[in-house]
Amino acid sequence: DTAVSQTPKYLVTQMGNDKSIKCEQNLGHDTMYWYKQDSKKFLKIMFSYNNKELIINETVPNRFSPKSPDKAHLNLHINSLELGDSAVYFCASSQRGLMIRNTEAFFGQGTRLTVV
Amino acid sequence: DAKTTQPPSMDCAEGRAANLPCNHSTISGNEYVYWYRQIHSQGPQYIIHGLKNNETNEMASLIITEDRKSSTLILPHATLRDTAVYYCIVRSFQKLVFGTGTRLLVSP
């Protein structure tokens, strides 16, 4: 059973389109994250949700809108896609936002988004 | 956010210990040091974390200096499958802030 799963794994789309990436975790965690890894392989946090509530928003354009229908899901919707949005997007989850001692974040396998 | 500094790349012979250093001189007293690795664009994989004591698990050991300004990740018997980018991270306000990491190449 995959702990953190993302769909789709690959996404190729044209500029200006709207697309969504889905993430689900079966670890019983209450905190989920979206990270973006650009072409230079730099991993940067975008959002974090705790119990369906947004707690971290790292200066991401408002074309990106995360949605958390429940603790186990955090979807990422992107409007009006631009070439610069091409990247690998990783979803992750953890318990209580990493604030308890022995906890770590688990990452999904990523969604490679290519905007043409 | 506390910043970490790692060498961009390291080599290690298969079967030997790999010692990956990390400097985090601006770390504050309650910030944990985490290590993750990323194998060929897969999702980052958790390795180990610690606060001030040395830690060991089935994957690796983490040695943190007494002043907490640096740490070393030790893979005791590196294998070819340990070739990856290793990230040293200081956890900051409920998030993991990744640096540029060390690309470890394990060779036969």
Side-chain angles (χ1 to χ4, degrees), chain B residues 2-4 6 14 22 27 29 33 39 41 54 60 64 66 69 74 77 80 91 94-97 104:
Chain B
K3 188 177 170 60
T4 61
Q6 299 176 253
E14 189 179 19
C22 178
I27 194 171
V33 178
I39 298 173
S41 296
N54 298 338
I64 303 174
E66 199 168 330
K69 293 186 177 182
I74 301 172
H77 306 287
L80 299 180
R91 190 190 76 195
Q94 301 189 44
K95 62 186 179 184
L96 300 174
V97 179
L104 176 68

Side-chain angles (χ1 to χ4, degrees), chain B residues 17-90:
Chain B
N19 297 305
L20 290 86
C22 178
N23 285 326
H24 31 79
S25 57
T26 58
I27 194 171
S28 63
N30 60 353
E31 289 180 318
Y32 281 78
V33 178
Y34 281 74
W35 283 82
Y36 277 74
R37 71 181 183 185
Q38 190 174 24
I39 298 173
H40 190 54
S41 296
Q42 294 177 16
Q45 178 189 22
Y46 167 79
I47 301 173
I48 200 166
H49 74 282
L51 182 62
K52 48 183 138 179
N53 297 325
N54 298 338
E55 301 286 346
T56 295
N57 63 19
E58 63 278 3
M59 286 182 73
S61 295
L62 174 60
I63 309 298
I64 303 174
T65 58
E66 199 168 330
D67 63 8
R68 303 212 325 120
K69 293 186 177 182
S70 65
S71 60
T72 300
L73 177 75
I74 301 172
L75 308 178
H77 306 287
T79 70
L80 299 180
R81 284 179 291 184
D82 291 323
T83 291
V85 178
Y86 287 77
Y87 295 98
C88 169
I89 302 159
V90 173

Side-chain angles (χ1 to χ4, degrees), chain A residues 96-110:
Chain A
R96 285 174 58 185
L98 301 171
M99 294 308 288
I100 50 178
R101 184 175 176 273
N102 285 317
T103 186
E104 65 263 27
F106 291 84
F107 284 77
Q109 289 306 297

Side-chain angles (χ1 to χ4, degrees), chain A residues 3-67:
Chain A
V4 181
S5 59
Q6 299 178 224
T7 53
K9 191 171 180 181
Y10 300 96
L11 184 54
V12 181
T13 187
Q14 291 187 324
M15 281 175 55
N17 283 352
D18 303 338
K19 289 293 177 186
S20 292
I21 307 171
K22 296 188 175 181
C23 180
E24 175 182 5
Q25 54 94 5
N26 62 5
L27 297 165
H29 289 162
D30 61 6
T31 306
M32 296 184 72
Y33 312 81
W34 278 109
Y35 279 79
K36 177 181 179 181
Q37 187 167 41
D38 59 26
S39 56
K40 294 181 180 173
K41 303 297 185 183
F42 193 59
L43 259 168
K44 187 170 168 55
I45 190 168
M46 300 172 68
F47 300 104
S48 172
Y49 269 73
N50 178 261
N51 279 317
K52 303 192 296 174
E53 185 178 334
L54 180 67
I55 55 172
I56 294 173
N57 182 341
E58 291 283 317
T59 321
V60 178
N62 56 16
R63 297 183 296 105
F64 290 78
S65 52
K67 286 189 171 47

